[in-house]
Amino acid sequence: MEPRKPAGFEDSLSSFGAVIFDSYCGEPVAWGFKLTNYLGEDLFNELGKHGRIVCVDGYKSVWALVIKTLSREEAATLYGEITNEEIGPRGGWKSTTFGQKTFVNPYLRPEKKLD
């Protein structure tokens, strides 16, 4: 079932769909609604209460309301278990490979564990 647009913003949002794709493997990592017109600061901030507003295309100044992101568990179900996790020389996360698909988007970064 497709999520509903937030009340009062029906005419300012696209239909629900993938809005962010991983820059390495090209698979979708976030879903929501693209903004279709300028809202002004007050309405923009109000819309942000319904999810996270992110710039999805800096060249064209395209913004989207993200309401769902791909979790590591979902990625493992869709693409296969983790076959590789790349960590940089200073311990920073670089990528995770699920089956044969390598993701570099921070949405797939492992959670930091507190000691």
Side-chain angles (χ1 to χ4, degrees):
M1 182 172 170
E2 185 174 304
R4 291 185 182 182
K5 296 176 185 178
F9 294 97
E10 296 86 355
D11 294 335
S12 299
L13 300 172
S14 70
S15 57
F16 179 79
V19 294
I20 299 175
F21 296 84
D22 185 83
S23 63
Y24 188 82
C25 70
E27 295 294 332
V29 294
W31 295 262
F33 305 95
K34 288 184 180 177
L35 278 70
T36 58
N37 57 346
Y38 178 76
L39 296 178
E41 185 176 351
D42 291 340
L43 286 174
F44 188 84
N45 291 334
E46 184 65 29
L47 181 62
K49 295 177 182 178
H50 299 280
R52 184 187 318 173
I53 299 178
V54 297
C55 182
V56 295
D57 185 342
Y59 293 110
K60 296 179 182 177
S61 192
V62 177
W63 292 80
L65 174 68
V66 172
I67 60 171
K68 182 192 179 328
T69 58
L70 182 67
S71 70
R72 289 171 67 89
E73 294 78 19
E74 291 168 324
T77 300
L78 290 169
Y79 306 108
E81 293 300 317
I82 294 173
T83 55
N84 188 40
E85 192 108 51
E86 189 175 348
I87 306 299
R90 294 186 176 174
W93 177 84
K94 293 180 91 177
S95 68
T96 301
T97 302
F98 296 90
Q100 298 297 313
K101 296 277 184 180
T102 300
F103 290 83
V104 297
N105 189 283
Y107 289 135
L108 282 295
R109 178 187 315 250
E111 295 295 320
K112 288 189 176 183
K113 297 190 180 4
L114 301 175
D115 294 328

